[in-house]
Amino acid sequence: MNQETLRERVAAVLPEVTRVRHDLHAHPELSGDEKRTARLVSEHLGRLGIEHDTNVGGTHGVVATIRGRARDGATFALRGDMDALPIEEESDAPYRSTVPGVMHACGHDGHTANLLGAAMVLHAMRDDLAGNVRLLFQPAEEVVRGAEALVEAGAVDGVGAILMLHGWPDLAVGKIGVRNGPAMASSDSFRLEIRGRGGHAAYPHDTVDPVLVGAQVVTALQSVVAREVSPLSPAVLSVSTFHAGTAHNVIAGEAELSGTWRTLDPALRERMPGVVERVIAGVCAALRAEYTFDYHWGTPVVVNDAAVSDLVREVGRDLLGPENVVELADATMGAEDFAYYLQKAPGAMFRLGTGCPHRLHTPGYDFGDAPLAHGIALMVETARRYLLANSAAEPAHYEMV
Ligand code: NI
Protein backbone atom coordinates (compact mmCIF):
# COMPACT_ATOMS: atom_id res chain seq x y z
CA MET A 1 0.00 0.00 0.00
CA ASN A 2 1.42 3.36 -0.80
CA GLN A 3 1.82 5.99 1.83
CA GLU A 4 -0.94 8.19 0.47
CA THR A 5 -3.51 5.42 0.74
CA LEU A 6 -2.39 4.62 4.27
CA ARG A 7 -2.57 8.26 5.32
CA GLU A 8 -6.02 8.58 3.75
CA ARG A 9 -7.27 5.49 5.55
CA VAL A 10 -5.92 6.78 8.85
CA ALA A 11 -7.43 10.23 8.24
CA ALA A 12 -10.81 8.59 7.61
CA VAL A 13 -10.91 6.99 11.09
CA LEU A 14 -9.28 9.86 12.97
CA PRO A 15 -12.42 11.84 13.92
CA GLU A 16 -13.96 8.78 15.57
CA VAL A 17 -10.70 7.72 17.21
CA THR A 18 -10.28 11.23 18.62
CA ARG A 19 -13.81 11.13 20.05
CA VAL A 20 -13.05 7.77 21.63
CA ARG A 21 -9.88 9.13 23.25
CA HIS A 22 -11.74 12.11 24.70
CA ASP A 23 -14.46 9.82 26.00
CA LEU A 24 -11.90 7.49 27.63
CA HIS A 25 -9.95 10.43 29.03
CA ALA A 26 -13.10 11.85 30.61
CA HIS A 27 -14.01 8.46 32.12
CA PRO A 28 -10.79 6.93 33.44
CA GLU A 29 -10.93 3.64 35.34
CA LEU A 30 -8.39 2.22 37.77
CA SER A 31 -6.49 -1.03 37.18
CA GLY A 32 -8.81 -4.02 37.31
CA ASP A 33 -11.90 -1.84 37.09
CA GLU A 34 -11.91 -1.10 33.33
CA LYS A 35 -15.57 -2.14 32.84
CA ARG A 36 -16.77 0.89 30.91
CA THR A 37 -13.57 1.10 28.84
CA ALA A 38 -13.79 -2.58 27.87
CA ARG A 39 -17.47 -2.20 26.99
CA LEU A 40 -16.75 0.82 24.81
CA VAL A 41 -13.97 -1.10 23.01
CA SER A 42 -16.21 -4.13 22.55
CA GLU A 43 -19.08 -2.00 21.20
CA HIS A 44 -16.80 -0.41 18.60
CA LEU A 45 -15.36 -3.76 17.55
CA GLY A 46 -18.87 -5.23 17.39
CA ARG A 47 -20.15 -2.41 15.20
CA LEU A 48 -17.28 -3.05 12.79
CA GLY A 49 -17.97 -6.78 12.80
CA ILE A 50 -14.56 -7.67 14.24
CA GLU A 51 -14.66 -10.97 16.13
CA HIS A 52 -13.54 -10.61 19.73
CA ASP A 53 -13.75 -12.03 23.24
CA THR A 54 -14.48 -10.04 26.38
CA ASN A 55 -13.57 -10.68 30.02
CA VAL A 56 -10.51 -12.56 28.86
CA GLY A 57 -8.45 -14.08 31.65
CA GLY A 58 -11.07 -13.31 34.26
CA THR A 59 -10.31 -9.62 33.80
CA HIS A 60 -11.65 -6.84 31.61
CA GLY A 61 -9.36 -7.90 28.77
CA VAL A 62 -10.72 -7.68 25.21
CA VAL A 63 -8.97 -9.79 22.58
CA ALA A 64 -9.87 -9.42 18.90
CA THR A 65 -8.66 -11.04 15.70
CA ILE A 66 -8.71 -9.59 12.21
CA ARG A 67 -8.36 -12.35 9.63
CA GLY A 68 -6.61 -11.30 6.45
CA ARG A 69 -8.06 -12.66 3.24
CA ALA A 70 -5.10 -12.30 0.90
CA ARG A 71 -3.52 -15.57 1.98
CA ASP A 72 -2.77 -17.67 5.01
CA GLY A 73 0.04 -16.41 7.07
CA ALA A 74 1.41 -15.56 10.43
CA THR A 75 -0.33 -13.72 13.26
CA PHE A 76 0.97 -10.35 14.40
CA ALA A 77 -0.22 -8.95 17.74
CA LEU A 78 -0.73 -5.34 18.76
CA ARG A 79 -1.18 -4.41 22.40
CA GLY A 80 -2.81 -1.39 24.02
CA ASP A 81 -3.28 -0.91 27.77
CA MET A 82 -6.48 0.63 29.17
CA ASP A 83 -6.10 1.53 32.86
CA ALA A 84 -5.75 4.91 34.58
CA LEU A 85 -4.03 6.08 37.77
CA PRO A 86 -5.18 7.36 41.19
CA ILE A 87 -4.14 10.98 40.54
CA GLU A 88 -6.32 14.11 40.57
CA GLU A 89 -6.13 15.69 37.11
CA GLU A 90 -5.14 19.34 36.64
CA SER A 91 -6.42 20.31 33.21
CA ASP A 92 -8.64 22.79 31.41
CA ALA A 93 -9.35 20.39 28.55
CA PRO A 94 -13.06 19.97 27.79
CA TYR A 95 -12.54 16.20 28.03
CA ARG A 96 -10.76 16.31 31.44
CA SER A 97 -11.46 13.54 33.92
CA THR A 98 -14.95 13.48 35.40
CA VAL A 99 -13.84 11.00 38.08
CA PRO A 100 -12.42 12.63 41.22
CA GLY A 101 -8.91 11.40 42.00
CA VAL A 102 -8.56 9.28 38.87
CA MET A 103 -7.00 10.27 35.55
CA HIS A 104 -5.19 8.96 32.49
CA ALA A 105 -1.80 10.16 33.70
CA CYS A 106 0.09 7.52 31.71
CA GLY A 107 -1.79 8.16 28.45
CA HIS A 108 -3.46 4.75 28.22
CA ASP A 109 -6.54 6.58 26.84
CA GLY A 110 -4.32 7.32 23.83
CA HIS A 111 -2.99 3.74 23.66
CA THR A 112 -6.51 2.26 23.67
CA ALA A 113 -7.89 4.75 21.11
CA ASN A 114 -4.80 4.22 18.97
CA LEU A 115 -5.28 0.45 18.96
CA LEU A 116 -8.94 0.83 18.11
CA GLY A 117 -7.93 3.11 15.22
CA ALA A 118 -5.42 0.50 14.01
CA ALA A 119 -8.20 -2.12 14.22
CA MET A 120 -10.49 0.03 12.07
CA VAL A 121 -7.84 0.56 9.37
CA LEU A 122 -6.65 -3.07 9.37
CA HIS A 123 -10.23 -4.32 9.19
CA ALA A 124 -10.86 -2.05 6.19
CA MET A 125 -7.81 -3.51 4.42
CA ARG A 126 -8.38 -7.15 5.39
CA ASP A 127 -8.78 -8.23 1.76
CA ASP A 128 -5.12 -7.33 1.23
CA LEU A 129 -3.80 -8.64 4.53
CA ALA A 130 -1.50 -11.70 4.29
CA GLY A 131 -2.23 -13.17 7.70
CA ASN A 132 -3.98 -12.28 10.93
CA VAL A 133 -3.74 -9.45 13.42
CA ARG A 134 -4.48 -10.06 17.09
CA LEU A 135 -5.52 -7.02 19.10
CA LEU A 136 -4.90 -7.10 22.84
CA PHE A 137 -6.83 -4.50 24.83
CA GLN A 138 -5.18 -5.08 28.16
CA PRO A 139 -6.38 -4.08 31.63
CA ALA A 140 -4.32 -3.62 34.79
CA GLU A 141 -0.94 -2.62 33.37
CA GLU A 142 -0.14 -0.21 36.20
CA VAL A 143 -0.37 -3.02 38.74
CA VAL A 144 1.39 -5.45 36.37
CA ARG A 145 -1.36 -8.06 36.43
CA GLY A 146 -3.11 -7.68 33.09
CA ALA A 147 -0.53 -9.04 30.68
CA GLU A 148 0.11 -12.22 32.65
CA ALA A 149 -3.64 -12.89 32.83
CA LEU A 150 -4.01 -12.49 29.06
CA VAL A 151 -1.01 -14.74 28.41
CA GLU A 152 -2.42 -17.43 30.72
CA ALA A 153 -5.75 -17.19 28.88
CA GLY A 154 -3.94 -18.02 25.64
CA ALA A 155 -4.31 -14.56 24.09
CA VAL A 156 -0.89 -14.74 22.42
CA ASP A 157 -0.96 -18.42 21.47
CA GLY A 158 0.07 -18.76 17.85
CA VAL A 159 1.33 -15.18 17.68
CA GLY A 160 4.50 -14.75 15.62
CA ALA A 161 5.49 -11.34 16.95
CA ILE A 162 4.04 -8.57 19.08
CA LEU A 163 4.29 -4.79 19.16
CA MET A 164 3.33 -2.04 21.61
CA LEU A 165 3.82 1.69 21.74
CA HIS A 166 4.00 4.04 24.69
CA GLY A 167 3.34 7.76 24.42
CA TRP A 168 6.46 9.66 25.42
CA PRO A 169 6.45 13.31 26.52
CA ASP A 170 10.19 13.88 25.93
CA LEU A 171 9.78 13.23 22.19
CA ALA A 172 8.04 15.72 19.90
CA VAL A 173 4.91 14.64 18.02
CA GLY A 174 6.02 12.97 14.79
CA LYS A 175 9.06 11.32 16.38
CA ILE A 176 9.52 7.79 17.71
CA GLY A 177 12.16 6.26 19.96
CA VAL A 178 13.47 2.75 19.30
CA ARG A 179 15.97 0.46 20.95
CA ASN A 180 17.21 -3.09 20.44
CA GLY A 181 17.82 -5.45 23.33
CA PRO A 182 16.96 -4.73 26.98
CA ALA A 183 14.68 -1.69 27.21
CA MET A 184 13.03 -1.94 30.62
CA ALA A 185 14.10 -3.70 33.79
CA SER A 186 12.72 -6.75 35.53
CA SER A 187 11.00 -5.83 38.77
CA ASP A 188 10.86 -8.34 41.62
CA SER A 189 10.15 -7.73 45.27
CA PHE A 190 10.89 -9.33 48.60
CA ARG A 191 9.58 -9.27 52.13
CA LEU A 192 11.68 -10.03 55.16
CA GLU A 193 10.58 -10.68 58.71
CA ILE A 194 13.32 -10.60 61.32
CA ARG A 195 12.52 -12.16 64.68
CA GLY A 196 14.60 -11.31 67.75
CA ARG A 197 13.63 -11.19 71.40
CA GLY A 198 11.89 -8.09 72.70
CA GLY A 199 12.45 -6.53 76.08
CA HIS A 200 13.21 -3.42 78.14
CA ALA A 201 15.41 -0.97 76.25
CA ALA A 202 17.42 -0.43 79.45
CA TYR A 203 18.49 -4.10 79.46
CA PRO A 204 19.62 -4.79 75.87
CA HIS A 205 21.71 -7.79 76.93
CA ASP A 206 18.43 -9.62 77.67
CA THR A 207 17.16 -9.03 74.15
CA VAL A 208 17.92 -9.77 70.51
CA ASP A 209 17.26 -6.45 68.84
CA PRO A 210 15.62 -6.87 65.38
CA VAL A 211 16.07 -3.15 64.62
CA LEU A 212 19.83 -3.47 64.88
CA VAL A 213 19.77 -6.70 62.85
CA GLY A 214 17.57 -5.08 60.22
CA ALA A 215 19.88 -2.08 60.00
CA GLN A 216 22.84 -4.40 59.40
CA VAL A 217 20.86 -6.32 56.78
CA VAL A 218 20.05 -3.07 54.92
CA THR A 219 23.70 -2.05 54.99
CA ALA A 220 25.01 -5.47 53.99
CA LEU A 221 22.56 -5.70 51.06
CA GLN A 222 24.11 -2.56 49.62
CA SER A 223 27.28 -4.55 49.03
CA VAL A 224 25.46 -6.87 46.63
CA VAL A 225 25.19 -4.44 43.70
CA ALA A 226 28.49 -2.78 44.66
CA ARG A 227 30.53 -6.01 44.89
CA GLU A 228 28.67 -8.89 43.25
CA VAL A 229 27.27 -7.27 40.09
CA SER A 230 29.39 -6.05 37.21
CA PRO A 231 29.62 -2.25 37.12
CA LEU A 232 28.64 -2.56 33.44
CA SER A 233 25.36 -4.27 34.29
CA PRO A 234 22.67 -1.87 35.58
CA ALA A 235 21.00 -3.15 38.74
CA VAL A 236 19.04 -1.74 41.67
CA LEU A 237 18.55 -3.33 45.08
CA SER A 238 16.48 -1.06 47.32
CA VAL A 239 15.16 -1.78 50.79
CA SER A 240 12.11 0.46 50.72
CA THR A 241 10.20 -0.23 53.93
CA PHE A 242 11.37 -0.97 57.49
CA HIS A 243 8.79 -1.25 60.28
CA ALA A 244 9.46 -2.12 63.91
CA GLY A 245 8.78 -1.07 67.44
CA THR A 246 6.12 0.71 69.46
CA ALA A 247 7.85 2.80 72.15
CA HIS A 248 11.21 4.44 72.81
CA ASN A 249 11.91 2.29 75.84
CA VAL A 250 10.90 -1.07 74.40
CA ILE A 251 13.06 -3.22 72.16
CA ALA A 252 10.81 -4.76 69.55
CA GLY A 253 10.32 -8.46 69.08
CA GLU A 254 10.37 -8.32 65.30
CA ALA A 255 10.98 -6.09 62.31
CA GLU A 256 9.48 -6.22 58.84
CA LEU A 257 11.32 -5.02 55.75
CA SER A 258 10.57 -5.04 52.05
CA GLY A 259 12.35 -4.01 48.91
CA THR A 260 12.71 -4.29 45.16
CA TRP A 261 15.28 -5.85 42.88
CA ARG A 262 15.67 -4.63 39.27
CA THR A 263 18.04 -5.55 36.49
CA LEU A 264 18.34 -5.60 32.69
CA ASP A 265 20.06 -9.00 32.71
CA PRO A 266 17.71 -12.03 32.81
CA ALA A 267 20.50 -14.36 34.05
CA LEU A 268 21.46 -12.01 36.87
CA ARG A 269 17.79 -11.76 37.79
CA GLU A 270 17.57 -15.54 38.29
CA ARG A 271 20.63 -15.56 40.52
CA MET A 272 19.54 -12.76 42.83
CA PRO A 273 17.10 -14.39 45.33
CA GLY A 274 19.87 -16.78 46.41
CA VAL A 275 22.37 -13.95 46.82
CA VAL A 276 19.98 -11.77 48.82
CA GLU A 277 18.98 -14.61 51.13
CA ARG A 278 22.63 -15.62 51.69
CA VAL A 279 23.39 -12.11 52.97
CA ILE A 280 20.28 -12.04 55.17
CA ALA A 281 20.99 -15.50 56.60
CA GLY A 282 24.60 -14.56 57.36
CA VAL A 283 23.73 -11.34 59.18
CA CYS A 284 20.87 -12.93 61.12
CA ALA A 285 23.04 -15.88 62.18
CA ALA A 286 25.83 -13.57 63.32
CA LEU A 287 23.44 -11.50 65.43
CA ARG A 288 21.27 -14.37 66.80
CA ALA A 289 18.06 -13.47 64.99
CA GLU A 290 15.71 -15.65 62.96
CA TYR A 291 14.06 -14.66 59.74
CA THR A 292 11.44 -15.47 57.08
CA PHE A 293 12.25 -14.42 53.54
CA ASP A 294 9.60 -14.26 50.79
CA TYR A 295 10.66 -13.52 47.26
CA HIS A 296 8.05 -12.44 44.72
CA TRP A 297 8.85 -12.81 41.03
CA GLY A 298 7.42 -9.77 39.26
CA THR A 299 7.79 -8.64 35.67
CA PRO A 300 10.64 -10.01 33.55
CA VAL A 301 13.07 -7.82 31.58
CA VAL A 302 11.60 -6.21 28.44
CA VAL A 303 14.03 -7.31 25.74
CA ASN A 304 13.22 -5.86 22.33
CA ASP A 305 13.72 -8.32 19.50
CA ALA A 306 16.14 -6.91 16.91
CA ALA A 307 14.10 -8.02 13.89
CA VAL A 308 10.84 -6.51 15.15
CA SER A 309 12.63 -3.33 16.26
CA ASP A 310 14.31 -3.06 12.87
CA LEU A 311 10.95 -3.35 11.16
CA VAL A 312 9.59 -0.49 13.30
CA ARG A 313 12.69 1.57 12.40
CA GLU A 314 12.17 0.90 8.71
CA VAL A 315 8.47 1.80 8.86
CA GLY A 316 9.30 4.88 10.96
CA ARG A 317 11.87 6.08 8.44
CA ASP A 318 9.40 5.64 5.58
CA LEU A 319 6.42 7.24 7.32
CA LEU A 320 8.07 9.91 9.46
CA GLY A 321 11.47 10.49 7.85
CA PRO A 322 14.83 9.15 9.07
CA GLU A 323 15.48 12.24 11.20
CA ASN A 324 12.40 11.40 13.27
CA VAL A 325 13.47 7.90 14.27
CA VAL A 326 15.46 8.40 17.47
CA GLU A 327 17.80 5.72 18.79
CA LEU A 328 17.32 5.50 22.56
CA ALA A 329 20.73 5.43 24.20
CA ASP A 330 19.53 4.12 27.54
CA ALA A 331 17.12 1.56 28.88
CA THR A 332 15.13 2.50 31.98
CA MET A 333 14.91 0.72 35.33
CA GLY A 334 11.13 1.12 35.20
CA ALA A 335 9.09 -2.03 34.46
CA GLU A 336 6.36 -2.94 31.94
CA ASP A 337 4.25 -6.07 32.03
CA PHE A 338 4.59 -6.26 28.23
CA ALA A 339 7.57 -8.43 29.24
CA TYR A 340 5.18 -11.36 29.85
CA TYR A 341 4.14 -11.41 26.19
CA LEU A 342 7.82 -11.36 25.18
CA GLN A 343 8.34 -14.65 26.99
CA LYS A 344 5.90 -16.18 24.47
CA ALA A 345 6.78 -14.34 21.26
CA PRO A 346 9.46 -11.96 20.02
CA GLY A 347 8.39 -8.36 19.97
CA ALA A 348 9.24 -4.76 20.63
CA MET A 349 7.99 -1.63 22.29
CA PHE A 350 8.63 1.81 20.88
CA ARG A 351 8.07 5.30 22.22
CA LEU A 352 5.69 7.57 20.37
CA GLY A 353 6.30 11.30 20.79
CA THR A 354 3.46 13.17 22.51
CA GLY A 355 5.43 16.38 23.13
CA CYS A 356 3.46 16.94 26.33
CA PRO A 357 5.18 19.45 28.64
CA HIS A 358 4.15 17.36 31.67
CA ARG A 359 5.78 14.11 32.79
CA LEU A 360 4.11 10.69 32.82
CA HIS A 361 2.21 9.96 36.06
CA THR A 362 1.75 13.68 36.91
CA PRO A 363 -1.54 15.67 37.15
CA GLY A 364 -0.97 17.59 33.90
CA TYR A 365 -0.09 14.72 31.54
CA ASP A 366 -2.20 14.38 28.40
CA PHE A 367 -1.46 11.99 25.50
CA GLY A 368 -3.05 14.54 23.17
CA ASP A 369 -4.76 14.10 19.81
CA ALA A 370 -1.86 14.85 17.48
CA PRO A 371 0.11 11.58 18.11
CA LEU A 372 -2.84 9.38 17.08
CA ALA A 373 -2.40 9.68 13.31
CA HIS A 374 1.26 8.66 13.60
CA GLY A 375 0.65 5.87 16.10
CA ILE A 376 -2.11 4.28 14.04
CA ALA A 377 -0.16 4.47 10.78
CA LEU A 378 2.98 2.99 12.39
CA MET A 379 1.11 0.07 13.95
CA VAL A 380 -0.87 -0.71 10.81
CA GLU A 381 2.11 -0.56 8.48
CA THR A 382 4.37 -2.57 10.79
CA ALA A 383 1.71 -5.30 11.05
CA ARG A 384 1.14 -5.30 7.29
CA ARG A 385 4.84 -5.59 6.44
CA TYR A 386 5.44 -8.27 9.08
CA LEU A 387 2.64 -10.39 7.62
CA LEU A 388 3.88 -9.87 4.07
CA ALA A 389 7.36 -10.99 5.06
CA ASN A 390 6.16 -13.95 7.13
CA SER A 391 3.38 -15.53 5.10
CA ALA A 392 3.64 -18.33 2.61
CA ALA A 393 3.38 -18.07 -1.18
CA GLU A 394 5.25 -15.42 -3.13
CA PRO A 395 8.39 -13.83 -1.77
CA ALA A 396 7.71 -10.74 0.27
CA HIS A 397 8.20 -7.38 -1.31
CA TYR A 398 7.23 -3.96 -0.11
CA GLU A 399 5.62 -1.65 -2.56
CA MET A 400 6.23 1.43 -0.50
CA VAL A 401 7.23 5.03 -1.25
NI1 NI B 1 1.91 3.48 30.80
Side-chain angles (χ1 to χ4, degrees):
M1 184 168 56
N2 65 38
Q3 216 187 108
E4 214 171 325
T5 318
L6 176 61
R7 285 292 180 196
E8 279 165 11
R9 285 189 164 165
V10 173
V13 305
L14 217 45
E16 188 175 349
V17 172
T18 305
R19 271 196 303 277
V20 167
R21 190 188 80 82
H22 293 180
D23 188 338
L24 294 175
H25 195 96
H27 302 96
E29 293 174 302
L30 290 173
S31 310
D33 195 35
E34 305 89 342
K35 289 188 223 52
R36 184 184 183 279
T37 307
R39 195 172 62 233
L40 185 147
V41 166
S42 172
E43 280 169 7
H44 271 79
L45 294 170
R47 226 171 289 144
L48 290 163
I50 297 175
E51 62 175 278
H52 64 280
D53 293 320
T54 55
N55 296 318
V56 179
T59 70
H60 297 298
V62 180
V63 178
T65 303
I66 294 169
R67 296 188 194 283
R69 294 169 173 171
R71 57 177 185 259
D72 280 346
T75 297
F76 191 74
L78 299 170
R79 179 270 212 160
D81 40 10
M82 305 193 288
D83 50 335
L85 284 160
I87 297 176
E88 179 78 29
E89 182 164 25
E90 290 170 16
S91 165
D92 295 326
Y95 53 80
R96 67 185 167 275
S97 172
T98 59
V99 184
V102 183
M103 70 168 287
H104 270 296
C106 201
H108 297 184
D109 54 327
H111 303 172
T112 303
N114 193 92
L115 187 57
L116 206 49
M120 291 162 79
V121 174
L122 287 161
H123 182 68
M125 57 163 56
R126 64 192 180 285
D127 283 345
D128 304 317
L129 225 46
N132 307 319
V133 181
R134 183 84 42 86
L135 305 146
L136 309 172
F137 293 90
Q138 185 205 305
E141 189 279 329
E142 297 291 356
V143 295
V144 297
R145 280 204 310 263
E148 201 178 10
L150 291 198
V151 168
E152 280 169 11
V156 290
D157 290 357
V159 163
I162 180 165
L163 180 70
M164 69 159 275
L165 61 75
H166 204 296
W168 209 255
D170 289 342
L171 289 168
V173 172
K175 288 185 183 291
I176 58 169
V178 292
R179 180 181 166 82
N180 285 11
M184 295 186 79
S186 59
S187 175
D188 302 328
S189 60
F190 57 88
R191 205 189 132 272
L192 170 65
E193 186 186 299
I194 297 172
R195 289 180 302 281
R197 189 167 65 247
H200 199 304
Y203 311 104
H205 54 289
D206 290 336
T207 74
V208 173
D209 180 358
V211 172
L212 179 65
V213 178
Q216 302 268 4
V217 165
V218 173
T219 308
L221 285 177
Q222 293 311 303
S223 68
V224 171
V225 172
R227 287 297 175 266
E228 297 197 41
V229 174
S230 162
L232 299 178
S233 180
V236 177
L237 179 55
S238 293
V239 177
S240 319
T241 70
F242 189 149
H243 297 290
T246 54
H248 76 275
N249 55 358
V250 178
I251 286 175
E254 61 264 322
E256 203 179 297
L257 294 79
S258 71
T260 183
W261 161 245
R262 290 160 186 249
T263 170
L264 296 173
D265 176 352
L268 179 59
R269 180 191 185 216
E270 299 290 325
R271 190 157 72 76
M272 203 41 53
V275 173
V276 171
E277 185 164 9
R278 189 195 72 227
V279 171
I280 291 167
V283 172
C284 286
L287 302 179
R288 299 175 297 155
E290 292 183 339
Y291 73 90
T292 304
F293 176 65
D294 295 314
Y295 197 84
H296 173 72
W297 294 97
T299 45
V301 186
V302 173
V303 183
N304 283 333
D305 178 73
V308 180
S309 263
D310 284 347
L311 185 57
V312 174
R313 263 187 200 88
E314 179 194 290
V315 171
R317 281 196 290 264
D318 289 346
L319 294 184
L320 307 171
E323 69 282 7
N324 291 318
V325 178
V326 178
E327 290 296 326
L328 300 170
D330 297 316
T332 87
M333 300 310 281
E336 213 334 318
D337 70 359
F338 185 64
Y340 287 107
Y341 302 116
L342 297 182
Q343 296 199 313
K344 293 281 179 185
M349 63 183 299
F350 69 98
R351 296 179 184 175
L352 177 73
T354 65
C356 182
H358 303 278
R359 322 292 306 162
L360 293 171
H361 292 213
T362 67
Y365 185 74
D366 187 354
F367 183 93
D369 295 331
L372 289 169
H374 302 299
I376 295 169
L378 288 159
M379 275 196 157
V380 166
E381 186 60 11
T382 305
R384 193 186 72 86
R385 289 193 197 183
Y386 174 88
L387 294 179
L388 257 187
N390 288 279
S391 47
E394 317 120 53
H397 67 280
Y398 309 133
E399 153 225 333
M400 185 81 197
V401 283

